[in-house]
Amino acid sequence: MFYQTISCGSLLVKDRSNFKYLLHHADYLNREHDELPNLVDKSIATTKRFDALKVFMTMQNVGPQALGDMYDHLMEQTQEVAKLVQAHQRFELLAQPSLSTVLLRVINHDANDLNELNKAIRLQALTRGVAVLGETVVNGQSALKFTILNPCLTLSDFESLLNNIDQLALELANSY
Protein backbone atom coordinates (compact mmCIF):
# COMPACT_ATOMS: atom_id res chain seq x y z
CA MET A 1 0.00 0.00 0.00
CA PHE A 2 2.93 2.33 -0.52
CA TYR A 3 1.72 2.71 -4.13
CA GLN A 4 4.89 0.93 -5.20
CA THR A 5 5.92 -2.35 -6.77
CA ILE A 6 5.63 -5.41 -4.56
CA SER A 7 9.37 -5.49 -4.01
CA CYS A 8 8.94 -2.35 -1.91
CA GLY A 9 6.65 -4.16 0.49
CA SER A 10 7.52 -4.81 4.06
CA LEU A 11 6.66 -7.28 6.75
CA LEU A 12 6.16 -5.74 10.16
CA VAL A 13 6.18 -7.89 13.26
CA LYS A 14 5.10 -6.86 16.72
CA ASP A 15 7.56 -9.15 18.49
CA ARG A 16 11.11 -9.27 17.13
CA SER A 17 11.42 -12.94 18.14
CA ASN A 18 9.10 -13.73 15.20
CA PHE A 19 11.96 -12.96 12.82
CA LYS A 20 13.16 -16.49 13.66
CA TYR A 21 10.59 -17.81 11.18
CA LEU A 22 12.47 -16.09 8.34
CA LEU A 23 15.86 -17.40 9.42
CA HIS A 24 17.76 -19.70 7.13
CA HIS A 25 21.33 -20.43 8.12
CA ALA A 26 24.11 -20.37 5.53
CA ASP A 27 27.71 -19.80 6.61
CA TYR A 28 28.33 -17.19 3.93
CA LEU A 29 25.22 -15.16 4.87
CA ASN A 30 24.86 -15.12 8.60
CA ARG A 31 28.08 -15.95 10.35
CA GLU A 32 27.54 -16.55 14.07
CA HIS A 33 30.83 -14.87 15.02
CA ASP A 34 30.14 -11.71 12.97
CA GLU A 35 29.62 -8.62 15.12
CA LEU A 36 28.20 -6.48 12.32
CA PRO A 37 24.44 -6.04 12.06
CA ASN A 38 23.00 -8.96 10.14
CA LEU A 39 20.07 -7.84 8.03
CA VAL A 40 19.87 -11.20 6.25
CA ASP A 41 18.02 -12.56 9.29
CA LYS A 42 15.45 -9.79 8.91
CA SER A 43 14.63 -10.22 5.23
CA ILE A 44 12.86 -12.77 3.07
CA ALA A 45 15.16 -11.93 0.17
CA THR A 46 18.88 -11.65 0.79
CA THR A 47 19.81 -9.35 -2.09
CA LYS A 48 17.71 -6.39 -3.08
CA ARG A 49 17.79 -3.43 -5.36
CA PHE A 50 17.66 -0.02 -3.75
CA ASP A 51 13.86 -0.08 -3.63
CA ALA A 52 13.77 2.06 -0.51
CA LEU A 53 14.43 5.07 -2.76
CA LYS A 54 10.98 4.61 -4.33
CA VAL A 55 9.28 4.68 -0.94
CA PHE A 56 11.44 7.61 0.17
CA MET A 57 10.58 9.62 -2.96
CA THR A 58 6.88 8.89 -2.52
CA MET A 59 7.03 10.05 1.08
CA GLN A 60 8.93 13.18 0.02
CA ASN A 61 6.55 14.06 -2.82
CA VAL A 62 3.21 13.03 -1.38
CA GLY A 63 3.98 13.49 2.29
CA PRO A 64 3.10 11.26 5.21
CA GLN A 65 -0.18 13.07 6.02
CA ALA A 66 -1.54 12.84 2.47
CA LEU A 67 -0.37 9.23 2.17
CA GLY A 68 -2.07 8.40 5.47
CA ASP A 69 -5.25 10.11 4.28
CA MET A 70 -5.12 8.00 1.10
CA TYR A 71 -4.80 4.81 3.17
CA ASP A 72 -7.66 5.83 5.43
CA HIS A 73 -9.81 6.57 2.38
CA LEU A 74 -9.06 3.15 0.88
CA MET A 75 -9.89 1.36 4.13
CA GLU A 76 -13.18 3.23 4.47
CA GLN A 77 -14.01 2.70 0.82
CA THR A 78 -13.34 -1.03 1.12
CA GLN A 79 -15.88 -1.24 3.94
CA GLU A 80 -18.41 0.65 1.81
CA VAL A 81 -17.84 -1.70 -1.14
CA ALA A 82 -18.31 -4.67 1.19
CA LYS A 83 -21.68 -3.18 2.21
CA LEU A 84 -22.64 -2.88 -1.47
CA VAL A 85 -21.80 -6.55 -1.98
CA GLN A 86 -23.79 -7.57 1.11
CA ALA A 87 -26.82 -5.58 -0.04
CA HIS A 88 -26.82 -7.14 -3.51
CA GLN A 89 -29.19 -10.08 -3.84
CA ARG A 90 -26.95 -12.00 -6.26
CA PHE A 91 -23.63 -11.56 -4.44
CA GLU A 92 -22.28 -13.07 -1.28
CA LEU A 93 -19.58 -11.33 0.78
CA LEU A 94 -17.25 -14.11 1.91
CA ALA A 95 -15.30 -12.24 4.59
CA GLN A 96 -15.46 -8.92 6.31
CA PRO A 97 -12.48 -6.99 4.85
CA SER A 98 -9.62 -6.25 7.22
CA LEU A 99 -7.47 -4.49 4.64
CA SER A 100 -8.39 -3.39 1.13
CA THR A 101 -9.46 -6.70 -0.42
CA VAL A 102 -13.08 -7.66 -1.03
CA LEU A 103 -13.92 -11.36 -1.43
CA LEU A 104 -17.23 -12.09 -3.08
CA ARG A 105 -19.07 -14.83 -4.81
CA VAL A 106 -21.78 -14.62 -7.44
CA ILE A 107 -24.85 -16.54 -6.23
CA ASN A 108 -28.58 -16.79 -7.02
CA HIS A 109 -28.13 -17.41 -10.72
CA ASP A 110 -29.55 -20.27 -12.75
CA ALA A 111 -26.22 -22.05 -13.00
CA ASN A 112 -25.63 -25.70 -12.21
CA ASP A 113 -22.07 -25.04 -11.10
CA LEU A 114 -21.53 -21.72 -9.33
CA ASN A 115 -17.81 -22.47 -8.93
CA GLU A 116 -17.36 -22.67 -12.69
CA LEU A 117 -19.55 -19.61 -13.19
CA ASN A 118 -17.39 -17.53 -10.83
CA LYS A 119 -14.24 -18.72 -12.61
CA ALA A 120 -15.74 -17.84 -16.00
CA ILE A 121 -16.77 -14.39 -14.79
CA ARG A 122 -13.18 -13.61 -13.83
CA LEU A 123 -11.86 -14.66 -17.24
CA GLN A 124 -14.58 -12.84 -19.15
CA ALA A 125 -14.14 -9.69 -17.08
CA LEU A 126 -10.44 -9.73 -18.00
CA THR A 127 -10.81 -10.50 -21.70
CA ARG A 128 -13.63 -8.00 -22.17
CA GLY A 129 -11.78 -5.24 -20.36
CA VAL A 130 -14.33 -4.99 -17.55
CA ALA A 131 -11.94 -5.54 -14.66
CA VAL A 132 -8.92 -7.46 -13.47
CA LEU A 133 -10.34 -9.68 -10.76
CA GLY A 134 -8.49 -12.20 -8.69
CA GLU A 135 -9.73 -15.71 -8.12
CA THR A 136 -9.35 -17.69 -4.94
CA VAL A 137 -11.03 -20.47 -2.98
CA VAL A 138 -12.87 -19.81 0.27
CA ASN A 139 -14.31 -22.77 2.16
CA GLY A 140 -13.97 -24.93 -0.93
CA GLN A 141 -15.84 -22.50 -3.17
CA SER A 142 -14.48 -20.41 -6.02
CA ALA A 143 -14.52 -16.72 -5.19
CA LEU A 144 -13.78 -13.43 -6.89
CA LYS A 145 -11.37 -11.00 -5.29
CA PHE A 146 -10.50 -7.42 -5.90
CA THR A 147 -8.08 -5.25 -4.06
CA ILE A 148 -8.88 -1.58 -3.79
CA LEU A 149 -5.71 0.46 -4.29
CA ASN A 150 -6.69 3.48 -6.38
CA PRO A 151 -7.60 6.42 -4.14
CA CYS A 152 -9.13 8.27 -7.09
CA LEU A 153 -12.00 5.82 -7.57
CA THR A 154 -15.41 6.67 -6.20
CA LEU A 155 -18.15 4.50 -4.77
CA SER A 156 -20.06 4.90 -8.04
CA ASP A 157 -17.09 3.30 -9.84
CA PHE A 158 -17.55 0.23 -7.66
CA GLU A 159 -21.32 0.25 -8.12
CA SER A 160 -20.66 0.19 -11.86
CA LEU A 161 -18.12 -2.62 -11.47
CA LEU A 162 -20.56 -4.73 -9.46
CA ASN A 163 -23.28 -4.09 -12.04
CA ASN A 164 -20.91 -5.20 -14.80
CA ILE A 165 -20.02 -8.36 -12.88
CA ASP A 166 -23.72 -9.06 -12.34
CA GLN A 167 -24.43 -8.57 -16.06
CA LEU A 168 -21.63 -10.98 -16.95
CA ALA A 169 -23.08 -13.50 -14.51
CA LEU A 170 -26.54 -13.18 -16.02
CA GLU A 171 -25.12 -13.66 -19.50
CA LEU A 172 -22.96 -16.65 -18.58
CA ALA A 173 -25.23 -18.43 -16.07
CA ASN A 174 -26.92 -20.70 -18.61
CA SER A 175 -23.55 -22.04 -19.79
CA TYR A 176 -22.57 -23.36 -16.33
Side-chain angles (χ1 to χ4, degrees):
M1 297 217 32
F2 289 120
Y3 301 97
Q4 302 296 332
T5 59
I6 196 164
S7 62
C8 292
S10 64
L11 170 68
L12 304 176
V13 294
K14 187 174 184 176
D15 180 353
R16 72 173 44 200
S17 68
N18 288 326
F19 279 121
K20 68 185 175 194
Y21 298 111
L22 300 177
L23 182 62
H24 174 76
H25 181 75
D27 289 333
Y28 69 97
L29 290 176
N30 38 17
R31 296 165 294 282
E32 292 179 14
H33 65 276
D34 204 341
E35 295 179 13
L36 296 172
N38 183 359
L39 299 179
V40 171
D41 293 349
K42 311 271 185 300
S43 172
I44 294 172
T46 59
T47 304
K48 291 191 169 231
R49 300 180 306 259
F50 184 45
D51 284 330
L53 179 63
K54 297 171 188 169
V55 175
F56 174 77
M57 294 302 292
T58 299
M59 292 298 269
Q60 289 293 85
N61 287 300
V62 177
Q65 182 62 49
L67 207 51
D69 291 345
M70 290 162 61
Y71 297 151
D72 291 344
H73 170 73
L74 290 176
M75 296 302 104
E76 291 166 11
Q77 193 169 55
T78 301
Q79 294 302 319
E80 292 300 315
V81 171
K83 288 177 188 173
L84 289 175
V85 170
Q86 280 180 312
H88 199 286
Q89 64 183 7
R90 290 188 294 269
F91 294 142
E92 176 184 16
L93 182 68
L94 297 174
Q96 201 57 39
S98 58
L99 288 174
S100 65
T101 298
V102 177
L103 293 172
L104 69 132
R105 182 171 164 78
V106 171
I107 57 170
N108 291 343
H109 284 278
D110 295 329
N112 293 325
D113 192 338
L114 286 175
N115 284 332
E116 292 303 315
L117 175 60
N118 278 276
K119 290 177 186 178
I121 290 167
R122 182 189 70 83
L123 288 174
Q124 287 299 313
L126 177 65
T127 58
R128 296 181 188 191
V130 171
V132 178
L133 301 171
E135 179 185 325
T136 189
V137 176
V138 177
N139 297 326
Q141 298 179 317
S142 291
L144 301 172
K145 163 180 134 22
F146 55 92
T147 302
I148 299 171
L149 295 174
N150 185 341
C152 298
L153 296 177
T154 65
L155 201 54
S156 66
D157 292 318
F158 291 103
E159 289 170 340
S160 177
L161 171 63
L162 292 173
N163 285 335
N164 288 338
I165 292 170
D166 188 39
Q167 287 303 308
L168 274 175
L170 288 170
E171 180 184 328
L172 298 171
N174 292 330
S175 301
Y176 294 93

